[in-house]
């Protein structure tokens, strides 16, 4: 039976298009009930059983009829299946994902609507349906002869769909009547609910249907929704945020040159300081500060926003080092009692801003005028659309003349103007995600703990850049001291904080497993096990896979046999994912043949497969202190692709002829098969080089490589490559518990440099080759030159030491870094390199067709072109580059559509850059977690160096552990009289009488402790910060007193050094990450 079904679709541009599809109606669709006696249903069941035979699922659930004969039973509806409507899924997908929610019928109509409304929710629903343990069933009501609903002429598509849904539920009700099972329509649409009940259909709201799950009170918590009345009761003086501009007004304002747009980034040390990097009319990118919650106007970290630039009088003239301890924010709102018309959220604590600092002035000027000015901004942008912009600003305060972006261009260089500030007038795209959070400890202290009645509570995100979130919960008593996930639902302008709901519990704060899950979630690291679909793309032979000359195209001439070469690999101890191996041979003409052999991952990971899609999504392997989260399944990463010794392995080889001075004479690339002769650790390789009694071919090969690497390195340095530094930590973990037993700074060996040198050479050679073949769609990596201003604070601090950094070029910088030595302090140069690294820009992947060749430059490596080729097991960029390189040398190579489409490749680059950044941050967070675990309950006194000056504190690096923390100069106990205050001219912290100062590079002594107050006591301990206290120099009112120090020293049990036999050593940075490049 064939029907035409017409759809009205709204296109992306907003046009309405009518499409007609041929529509088949069928009479062989089953109802999904596992014991249904109807002939059609039994038939569908047995057919599915036959099809499922080869891969019989272990769950025993028939995919054609997964709905249970014994579903949940309730007093109101008896045994029932849930049939949610579209909005129920959109609003409550978090609840439906809970494994407890089973026996759900997903109507075809609902799926169609979901696909149009939210692909994210659609995919999540599909994922549940696929999970055979869940007993969810898609009932194709749109194709069922008895449930299809023709659209009436007068009917809107929405009404038609609602009717189709009710019709399907009614039919299922009749069909299942004899089995005494009720299909229960779940909808929060009052109209639909009423009409359903009028038709005699069982229907209920979401919260009603969750009553059946009374043993899971958290499900009701996940309904969220804090009422306006409750919000107002808590914030009696709150006057609300200004209205956002509509999307049309925002577009008009951007087009008319009145607004700028960019992504809001909140400073990690100050949640009240945001900034937006925006393109200005003159083509330059500039940073515009957005200070305080009032001007952020409900935008949060990562949102794409439209910003109006504030009058010049409100621009900021001081450096941005303000620091706000989040404890200050934990003061219960009810105690704040904001004054009428004030902007209570710009509550910069007095201690954080010295009396006359612009930050503090900003607080005062913001009062009163802000809402009106933003309203004026709204009016202004709207007026732009109607070409009547000029009269709009009449109601704003005296000098509150917003600055047009075009006018910023001419004056931005003038230091007197300060840095532009702005306010958010509209949100272009929200970037809300799920947040790991904990209960506001202050709230927990005063709430009705024992009560299980729903209460509204504040939760704090682990990410301190995110504002407090209000949720409604029945579990306030059990959530104290816990980590859990929350989602934001909305941020109405009447509400000071966003509103959200509880999603799921993670576990106790401070627990290693819980905290590790937190850091993975917070850094958006996909860490679930690989799905069956992905594993199905692995070689069928599994671990028994061996090289086959026929299958692997050796015989077809597509692969070179290099098994007789003396190839070896050099890696950190315990390395199991070996993606590179090397060889060198002296040639009869006195030159050298050098080969870099990289795991041939793309031989196993083909474009278009589920495994390729998963690797592209993960983008990188993530290294934590105690574990690795792989980009590729272990069978490939640590076995079939890993270039281990004594087995045949497929490789992609880059082979040069180098002269005795390591100049490239020629280069060739080919797929190969190698047979590595040895897997060395750095130490083993080094001792071979150093042992004169060894002269076997492999040792000779390593020695030649080392000799050539030194020449390559010298030439690179002469060209201006930077030797930068970052503090690195090495943990020793107890074998059984994986608890840290020791932590120390790691030392680099000569042989690390050897491997690095040839990897750089291979990456550069490959970059040239693929760019030659694919000038517009090569995947490259660039490192932009840092602007001179990035070095301002550093230069300032170096001046008293008689040192100046030359930042004009990387060569000048490299040379001035080499000269910057203090004979009295051997660590100084390393420290300077660490701080210089922090002035650098981020290196990034990009598609060659989107940049000019001048922009390809890699500043840190001093090379004109660069890419990543050498780590395909753990970086997806390298997988893409392997495909490009293969296509450059072999016309027949298949490489997938992403590599020929500039847009697709740019999108993939965005993913790669994001994942790469997140992986680095996750690694750092893991170090921080283990550092805190290590120092818990210990008190250690150590020398350190000042690495950062903040308005109310200073950062200290402790070289012996490679860790960094902050000494606060103002405590909550004495916020009014800080012992040291920020002094702008000297960029230092000075005492009121000017007698004491703390400046960058200064040597200090500190006591380290991890706050081990009860976990629910305060925000700091919930975030588990390492606390540092100053011992030397002695600053009255700040340093630890002599008595206290004596007591601490007496009580301090020095951390016990590890028993060598019981520990494994973990280097927190993979050598590849040392490059940062
Ligand atoms: Zn049936």
């Amino acid at each position: 039976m064939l029907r035409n079904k017409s759809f009205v679709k709204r296109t992306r541009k907003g046009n309405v298009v009518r499409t007609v599809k041929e529509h088949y109606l069928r009479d062989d669709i089953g109802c999904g009930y596992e014991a249904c006696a109807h002939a059609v249903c039994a038939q569908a069941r047995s057919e599915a059983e036959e099809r499922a035979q080869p891969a019989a699922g272990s769950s025993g659930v028939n995919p054609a009829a997964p709905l249970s004969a014994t579903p949940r039973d309730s007093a109101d509806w008896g045994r029932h299946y849930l049939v949610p409507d579209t909005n129920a899924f959109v609003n409550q997908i978090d609840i439906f994902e809970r494994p407890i929610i089973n026996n759900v019928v997903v109507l075809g109509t609902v799926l169609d609507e979901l696909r149009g409304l939210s692909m994210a929710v659609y995919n999540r629903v599909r994922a549940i349906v696929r999970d055979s343990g869940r007993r969810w069933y898609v009932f194709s009501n749109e194709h069922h002869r008895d449930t299809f609903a023709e659209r009436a002429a007068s009917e809107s598509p929405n009404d038609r769909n609602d009717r189709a849904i009710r019709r399907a539920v009614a039919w299922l009700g009749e069909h299942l009547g004899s089995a005494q099972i009720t299909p229960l329509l779940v909808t929060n649409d009052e109209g639909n609910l009423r009409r359903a009940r009028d038709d005699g259909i069982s229907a209920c709201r979401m919260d009603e249907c969750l009553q059946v799950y009374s043993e899971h009170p958290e499900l009701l918590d996940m309904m969220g929704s804090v009422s306006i009345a409750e919000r107002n009761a808590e914030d009696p003086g709150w006057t609300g945020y200004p209205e956002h501009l509509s999307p049309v007004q925002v577009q008009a304002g951007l087009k008319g040159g009145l607004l700028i747009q960019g992504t809001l980034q909140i400073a990690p040390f100050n949640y009240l300081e945001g900034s937006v990097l925006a393109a200005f009319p003159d083509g330059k990118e500039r940073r515009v500060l957005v200070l305080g919650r009032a001007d952020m106007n409900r935008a949060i970290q990562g949102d794409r926003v439209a910003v109006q630039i504030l009058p010049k009088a409100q621009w900021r003239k001081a450096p941005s080092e303000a620091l706000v301890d989040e404890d200050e924010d934990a003061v219960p709102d009810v105690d704040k009692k904001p004054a009428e018309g004030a902007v209570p959220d710009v509550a910069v604590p007095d201690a954080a801003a010295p009396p006359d600092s612009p930050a503090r002035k900003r607080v005062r000027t913001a009062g009163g005028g802000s809402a009106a000015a933003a309203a004026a901004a709204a009016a202004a942008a709207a007026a732009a659309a109607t070409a009547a912009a000029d009269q709009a600003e009449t109601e704003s305060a005296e000098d509150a003349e917003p600055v047009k972006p075009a006018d910023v261009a001419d004056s931005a260089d003038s230091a007197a103007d300060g840095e532009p500030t702005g306010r958010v007038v509209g949100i272009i795209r929200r970037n809300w995600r799920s947040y790991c959070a904990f209960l506001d400890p202050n709230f927990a202290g005063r709430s009705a703990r024992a009560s299980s009645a729903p209460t509204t509570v504040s939760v704090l995100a682990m990410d301190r850049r995110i504002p407090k979130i209000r949720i409604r919960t029945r579990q306030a008593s059990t959530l104290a001291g816990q980590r859990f996930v929350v989602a934001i639902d909305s941020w109405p302008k009447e509400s000071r904080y966003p509103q959200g709901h509880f999603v799921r519990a993670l576990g106790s704060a401070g627990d290693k497993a819980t905290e590790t899950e937190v850091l993975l979630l917070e850094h958006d690291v996909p860490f679930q096990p690989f799905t069956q679909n992905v594993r199905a793309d692995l070689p069928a032979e599994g671990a028994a896979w061996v090289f086959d000359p026929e299958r692997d195209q050796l015989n077809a001439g597509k692969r070179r046999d290099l098994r007789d070469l003396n190839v070896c690999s050099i890696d950190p101890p315990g390395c199991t994912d070996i993606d590179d191996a090397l060889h060198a041979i002296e040639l009869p003409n006195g030159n050298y043949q050098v080969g870099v052999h990289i795991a041939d991952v793309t031989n196993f990971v083909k474009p278009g497969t589920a495994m390729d899609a998963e690797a592209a999504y993960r983008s990188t392997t993530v290294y934590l202190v105690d574990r690795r989260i792989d980009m590729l399944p272990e069978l490939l990463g640590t076995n079939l692709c890993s270039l281990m010794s004594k087995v045949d392995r497929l490789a992609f080889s880059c082979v040069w002829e180098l002269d005795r001075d390591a100049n490239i004479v020629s280069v060739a690339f080919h797929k190969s098969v190698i047979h590595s002769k040895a897997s060395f650790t750095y130490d083993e390789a080094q001792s071979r080089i150093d042992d004169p009694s060894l002269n076997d071919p492999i040792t000779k090969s390593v020695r030649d490589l080392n000799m050539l690497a030194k020449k390559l390195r010298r030439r690179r340095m002469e060209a201006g490559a930077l030797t930068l530094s970052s503090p690195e930590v090495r943990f020793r973990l107890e074998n059984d518990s994986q608890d840290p037993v020791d932590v120390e700074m790691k030392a680099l060996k000569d042989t690390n440099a050897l491997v690095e040198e040839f990897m750089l050479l291979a990456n550069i050679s490959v970059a040239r080759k693929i760019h030659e073949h694919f000038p517009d769609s090569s995947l490259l990596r660039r490192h932009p030159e840092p602007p001179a201003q990035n070095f301002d604070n550093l230069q300032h601090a170096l001046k008293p030491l008689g040192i100046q950094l030359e930042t004009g070029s990387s060569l000048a910088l490299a040379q001035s870094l080499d000269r910057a030595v203090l004979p009295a302090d051997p660590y100084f140069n390393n420290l300077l390199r660490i701080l210089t690294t922090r002035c650098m820009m981020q290196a990034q992947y990009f598609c060659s067709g989107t940049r000019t060749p001048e922009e390809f430059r890699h500043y840190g490596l001093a090379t004109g072109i660069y890419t990543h080729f050498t780590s395909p097991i753990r970086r997806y960029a390298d997988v893409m580059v392997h495909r490009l390189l293969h296509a450059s040398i072999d016309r027949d190579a298949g490489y997938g559509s992403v590599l020929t489409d500039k847009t697709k490749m740019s999108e993939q680059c965005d993913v790669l850059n994001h994942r790469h950044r997140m992986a680095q941050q996750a690694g750092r967070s893991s170090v921080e977690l283990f550092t805190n675990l290590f120092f818990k309950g210990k008190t250690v006194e150590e020398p350190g160096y000042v690495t950062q000056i903040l308005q109310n504190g200073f950062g200290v690096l402790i070289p012996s552990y490679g860790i960094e923390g902050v000494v606060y100069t103002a405590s909550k106990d004495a916020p009014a009289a800080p012992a040291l205050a920020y002094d702008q001219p000297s960029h230092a912290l000075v005492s009121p009488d000017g007698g004491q100062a703390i400046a960058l590079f200064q040597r200090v002594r500190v006591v380290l402790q991890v706050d081990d107050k009860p976990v629910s006591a305060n925000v700091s301990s919930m975030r588990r910060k390492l606390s540092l206290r100053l011992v030397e120099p002695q600053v009255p009112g700040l340093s630890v007193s002599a008595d206290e120090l004596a007591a601490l020293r007496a009580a301090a049990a020095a951390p016990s050094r590890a028993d060598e036999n019981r520990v494994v050593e973990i280097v927190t940075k993979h050598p590849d990450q040392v490059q940062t490049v």
Side-chain angles (χ1 to χ4, degrees):
M1 187 157 132
L2 177 65
R3 292 283 185 90
N4 285 331
K5 187 180 176 192
S6 71
F7 297 86
V8 179
K9 273 176 109 175
R10 195 173 285 276
T11 66
R12 278 185 184 199
K13 286 183 178 165
N15 302 323
V16 174
V17 175
R18 179 174 292 272
T19 59
V20 177
K21 274 190 188 165
E22 289 186 342
H23 194 77
Y24 288 91
L25 294 185
R26 296 161 42 187
D27 46 20
D28 59 348
I29 295 170
C31 68
Y33 164 43
E34 66 179 355
C36 188
H38 290 89
V40 165
C41 301
Q43 177 68 22
R45 237 173 19 233
S46 69
E47 279 171 14
E49 242 157 40
E50 277 166 32
R51 278 198 304 273
Q53 224 39 283
S58 54
S59 60
V61 175
N62 186 321
L67 300 172
S68 166
T70 54
R72 288 234 163 197
D73 204 342
S74 90
D76 292 334
W77 312 294
R79 294 187 301 142
H80 60 276
Y81 299 152
L82 301 179
V83 192
D85 75 354
T86 310
N87 281 323
F89 279 123
V90 170
N91 296 330
Q92 258 87 44
I93 183 65
D94 287 333
I95 295 180
F96 284 109
E97 276 179 342
R98 301 293 294 246
I100 186 79
I101 310 284
N102 289 314
N103 294 304
V104 173
V105 178
V106 183
L107 297 178
T109 310
V110 169
L111 269 186
D112 288 345
E113 286 195 319
L114 278 179
R115 199 174 0 216
L117 273 173
S118 163
M119 270 319 278
V121 175
Y122 171 82
N123 285 330
R124 288 165 78 177
V125 169
R126 297 288 328 192
I128 307 172
V129 170
R130 274 199 301 274
D131 182 345
S132 60
R134 291 295 299 274
R135 293 181 178 272
W136 280 42
Y137 180 62
V138 175
F139 180 62
S140 303
N141 63 307
E142 294 283 351
H143 296 276
H144 195 293
R145 188 192 295 276
D146 297 329
T147 57
F148 177 70
E150 194 99 46
R151 193 176 137 210
S154 60
E155 209 174 23
S156 76
N158 254 338
D159 287 347
R160 181 268 165 201
N161 285 347
D162 283 350
R163 189 165 56 82
I165 290 169
R166 291 196 302 276
R167 179 164 177 168
V169 178
W171 182 87
L172 281 170
E174 252 169 62
H175 183 84
L176 295 168
S178 55
Q180 292 184 315
I181 294 173
T182 308
L184 182 59
L185 175 64
V186 182
T187 177
N188 281 341
D189 177 333
E190 289 298 333
N192 204 17
L193 203 60
R194 202 180 47 244
R195 277 189 294 275
R197 286 173 177 159
D198 289 349
D199 294 351
I201 297 167
S202 295
C204 69
R205 291 196 316 270
M206 189 72 190
D207 57 334
E208 291 170 334
C209 92
L210 291 179
Q211 303 291 352
V212 179
Y213 300 83
S214 56
E215 78 277 23
H216 289 278
E218 77 278 8
L219 292 181
L220 278 166
D221 283 3
M222 293 166 71
M223 293 284 298
S225 79
V226 179
S227 75
I228 298 276
E230 279 173 298
R231 293 195 306 263
N232 290 345
E234 286 192 24
D235 296 335
W238 175 243
T239 53
Y241 291 100
E243 196 84 59
H244 286 145
L245 299 186
S246 72
V248 173
Q249 289 171 320
V250 165
Q251 287 312 317
L254 290 171
K255 257 190 205 155
L258 297 173
L259 305 174
I260 50 153
Q261 62 171 322
T263 300
L264 184 70
Q265 295 290 344
I266 307 293
F269 276 111
N270 184 345
Y271 61 86
L272 294 176
E273 179 184 310
S275 64
V276 166
L277 193 65
F280 278 71
D282 62 357
K284 287 188 186 161
E285 282 199 321
R286 287 188 187 81
R287 190 170 83 136
V288 175
L289 296 167
V290 182
L291 304 173
R293 290 250 163 81
D295 282 350
M296 288 179 200
N297 191 8
R298 293 172 283 151
I300 66 175
Q301 164 68 26
D303 284 350
R304 188 148 188 93
V305 293
V307 171
Q308 182 193 40
I309 297 170
L310 290 172
K312 277 190 184 165
Q314 294 180 32
W315 289 13
R316 194 174 69 173
K317 277 120 192 141
S320 62
E321 256 73 15
L323 181 145
V324 179
D325 186 354
E326 63 272 56
D327 270 349
E328 307 291 344
D329 192 44
V331 178
D333 296 327
V334 284
D335 300 333
K336 277 189 187 166
K337 295 254 188 297
E340 184 69 31
V343 184
D345 253 315
V346 194
V348 178
D350 289 356
D356 288 321
S357 82
R360 189 170 155 132
K361 274 188 214 144
R362 179 79 195 89
V363 177
R364 293 205 199 96
T365 53
S370 183
T386 58
D390 288 349
Q391 298 113 16
E393 287 143 15
T394 47
E395 55 178 309
S396 59
E398 65 275 34
D399 61 343
E401 188 91 13
V403 178
K404 282 191 181 176
D407 297 335
V408 175
D410 303 320
S411 55
D413 299 329
S414 152
D417 281 341
E419 196 167 3
T421 54
R423 70 165 61 94
V424 172
V425 294
I427 300 205
I428 297 165
R429 193 174 61 242
R430 283 288 191 193
N431 189 40
W432 292 344
R433 56 178 177 89
S434 295
Y435 302 96
C436 296
F438 54 92
L439 205 58
D440 181 341
N442 292 286
F443 173 85
R446 70 191 157 92
S447 73
R449 279 185 176 206
S451 164
S452 64
T455 40
T456 301
V457 298
S458 293
V459 301
L460 292 159
M462 294 298 288
D463 183 343
R464 38 203 278 181
R465 299 169 302 179
I466 303 300
K468 272 194 233 186
I469 301 166
R470 291 248 203 277
I471 65 165
R472 218 172 137 68
T473 178
R474 287 163 185 76
Q475 317 168 74
S477 52
T478 51
L479 288 181
Q482 297 281 306
R483 304 280 192 227
F484 48 88
V485 179
V486 295
I488 297 181
D489 299 317
S490 65
W491 195 344
K493 67 182 169 63
E494 303 81 13
S495 173
R496 186 186 296 169
Y497 295 108
Q499 302 174 24
H501 64 265
F502 171 87
V503 176
R504 68 189 171 97
L506 295 170
S508 294
D511 171 71
K512 192 166 62 187
T514 303
E515 299 295 354
T516 300
E517 187 172 353
V518 166
L519 77 88
L520 291 172
L521 288 168
E522 283 296 292
H523 294 100
D524 197 13
V525 175
F527 63 98
Q528 302 305 329
F530 290 102
T531 63
Q532 184 53 46
N533 280 350
V534 171
R535 289 199 307 272
D537 289 330
L538 290 168
E541 305 91 321
W545 181 95
V546 285
F547 169 66
D548 175 341
E550 198 55 49
R551 180 201 56 206
D552 298 321
Q553 297 193 290
L554 187 71
N555 297 344
K558 299 274 190 192
R559 196 175 282 283
R560 295 263 182 103
D561 193 343
L562 305 181
R563 283 176 289 183
D564 55 340
L565 293 175
N566 285 309
V567 171
C568 69
S569 60
I570 309 174
D571 286 288
C575 178
T576 52
D577 48 349
I578 305 174
D579 27 24
D580 52 85
L582 305 111
H583 86 274
I585 306 167
E586 196 174 346
L587 297 171
N589 66 2
N591 288 347
Y592 290 88
Q593 183 195 69
V594 173
V596 162
H597 312 276
I598 305 298
D600 189 7
V601 169
T602 55
N603 183 73
F604 297 95
V605 182
K606 300 291 187 197
T609 59
M611 189 157 63
D612 186 48
E614 181 68 19
Y617 175 70
R618 295 188 177 212
S619 292
T620 178
T621 291
V622 178
Y623 292 85
L624 303 184
V625 172
D626 62 338
R627 75 177 81 172
R628 193 183 67 212
I629 292 119
D630 289 322
M631 179 181 87
L632 291 170
E634 203 161 13
L635 176 67
L636 291 186
T638 63
N639 189 350
L640 305 191
C641 290
S642 183
L643 301 179
M644 32 197 186
S645 54
K646 313 279 194 268
V647 284
D648 293 346
R649 284 289 176 251
L650 304 182
F652 208 154
S653 298
C654 176
V655 181
W656 300 271
E657 182 177 340
L658 301 180
D659 68 17
R660 299 195 73 85
D661 290 323
N663 295 303
I664 298 175
V665 177
S666 66
V667 59
F669 308 93
H670 31 253
K671 293 265 179 153
S672 62
V673 54
I674 62 166
H675 188 98
S676 168
K677 304 295 182 286
S679 310
F680 294 126
T681 64
Y682 292 122
D683 285 341
E684 287 165 357
Q686 189 66 50
S687 47
R688 285 213 168 215
I689 292 171
D690 296 342
D691 183 347
S693 71
L694 288 175
N695 274 304
D696 58 281
I698 294 180
T699 303
K700 179 149 185 336
S701 174
V702 175
R703 252 181 226 142
D704 287 342
L705 289 167
N706 196 40
M707 178 270 291
L708 292 164
K710 285 185 171 166
K711 292 177 175 171
L712 285 168
R713 187 170 190 81
R714 190 180 324 123
R715 194 149 57 238
R716 233 163 33 79
M717 294 304 144
E718 283 163 10
L722 296 171
T723 313
L724 297 175
S725 186
S726 57
E728 289 175 30
V729 189
R730 181 161 59 178
F731 285 97
R732 285 156 181 275
L733 305 184
E734 197 176 35
N735 246 333
D736 305 328
S737 64
Q738 297 276 293
D739 286 330
V741 291
D742 198 4
V743 51
E744 63 188 82
M745 199 86 160
K746 117 181 199 204
L748 280 173
K749 296 232 156 52
D750 228 18
T751 40
N752 296 41
L754 181 166
V755 175
E756 188 190 341
E757 214 51 56
F758 285 105
M759 295 307 125
L760 294 175
L761 191 66
N763 286 336
I764 293 169
S765 293
V766 169
R768 287 188 190 128
K769 179 75 180 174
I770 59 174
H771 182 246
E772 189 184 299
H773 256 263
F774 298 99
D776 286 335
S777 62
S778 276
L779 177 74
L780 301 175
R781 189 161 173 83
R782 65 192 282 265
H783 184 217
E785 179 171 350
Q789 305 89 279
N790 284 19
F791 296 92
D792 281 355
N793 285 340
L794 196 53
Q795 298 281 32
H796 210 102
L798 288 169
K799 209 171 275 174
L801 304 171
I803 289 169
Q804 169 140 28
L805 290 182
E806 307 291 339
T807 59
S809 70
S810 64
L811 179 59
L813 179 59
Q815 288 171 343
S816 59
L817 279 171
D818 288 344
R819 285 193 303 268
V821 178
L822 293 185
D825 188 349
Y827 188 70
F828 170 79
N829 189 266
N830 193 27
L831 180 66
L832 179 58
R833 288 180 199 271
I834 289 171
L835 296 190
T836 303
T837 306
R838 294 177 187 174
C839 301
M840 293 291 141
M841 308 291 281
Q842 286 250 339
Q844 53 184 232
Y845 297 109
F846 68 102
C847 169
S848 58
T850 62
R851 298 272 176 183
T852 64
E854 295 75 53
E855 292 175 312
F856 289 7
R857 217 179 148 66
H858 197 297
Y859 178 83
L861 294 173
T863 170
I865 191 166
Y866 193 66
T867 195
H868 273 166
F869 165 74
T870 52
S871 299
I873 293 178
R874 54 172 175 263
R875 286 190 311 228
Y876 191 73
D878 307 51
V879 171
M880 293 168 73
V881 167
H882 274 228
R883 289 187 186 139
L884 286 164
L885 182 64
H886 193 202
S888 309
I889 60 167
D890 183 351
R891 282 168 185 280
D892 302 333
Y895 50 93
S897 62
V898 173
L899 300 187
T900 48
D901 182 332
K902 231 157 67 168
T903 311
K904 278 187 188 166
M905 192 185 277
S906 290
E907 281 167 11
Q908 182 65 44
C909 285
D910 290 344
V911 176
L912 296 177
N913 288 325
H914 168 70
R915 294 279 192 226
H916 188 83
R917 207 162 47 237
M918 288 298 120
Q920 286 185 323
Q921 288 176 15
R924 278 197 286 273
S925 293
S926 176
V927 168
E928 199 180 327
L929 169 61
F930 275 79
T931 303
N932 289 350
L933 288 171
F934 175 73
F935 283 106
K936 199 176 161 211
K938 302 186 179 85
T939 301
V940 180
E941 198 186 325
E942 285 287 337
Y945 288 84
V946 176
T947 51
Q948 194 177 17
I949 298 290
L950 304 156
Q951 293 230 15
N952 67 335
F954 53 94
V956 175
L957 173 72
I958 294 136
S960 53
Y961 294 109
I963 57 177
E964 209 170 355
V966 171
V967 175
Y968 292 90
T969 51
S971 69
K972 214 164 55 167
D973 309 328
L980 295 171
Y982 181 71
D983 177 56
Q984 205 214 325
S986 61
H987 188 60
L989 294 163
V990 296
S991 60
D993 61 4
Q996 288 280 354
I998 296 281
L1000 227 47
F1001 297 109
Q1002 189 168 339
R1003 292 176 75 158
V1004 295
R1005 279 189 82 76
V1006 289
V1007 168
L1008 288 77
Q1009 275 175 312
V1010 168
D1011 198 341
D1012 57 354
K1013 288 174 206 158
V1015 285
S1016 59
N1018 62 45
V1019 177
S1020 283
S1021 67
M1022 276 307 278
R1023 288 200 170 111
R1024 286 268 166 200
K1025 279 192 304 196
L1026 183 70
S1027 82
L1028 296 189
R1029 297 175 66 198
L1030 188 63
V1031 176
E1032 280 169 26
Q1034 269 293 324
V1035 177
L1038 177 63
S1039 304
V1040 180
S1041 71
D1043 290 351
E1044 215 182 334
L1045 190 61
L1048 282 174
R1049 281 176 180 160
S1056 59
R1057 289 281 149 173
D1059 171 356
E1060 294 294 325
N1061 298 324
R1062 288 177 49 237
V1063 297
V1064 284
E1065 191 172 274
I1066 308 281
V1067 181
T1068 61
K1069 281 203 178 172
H1070 195 276
D1072 255 32
Q1073 291 174 301
V1074 176
Q1075 302 176 22
T1076 44
V1077 290

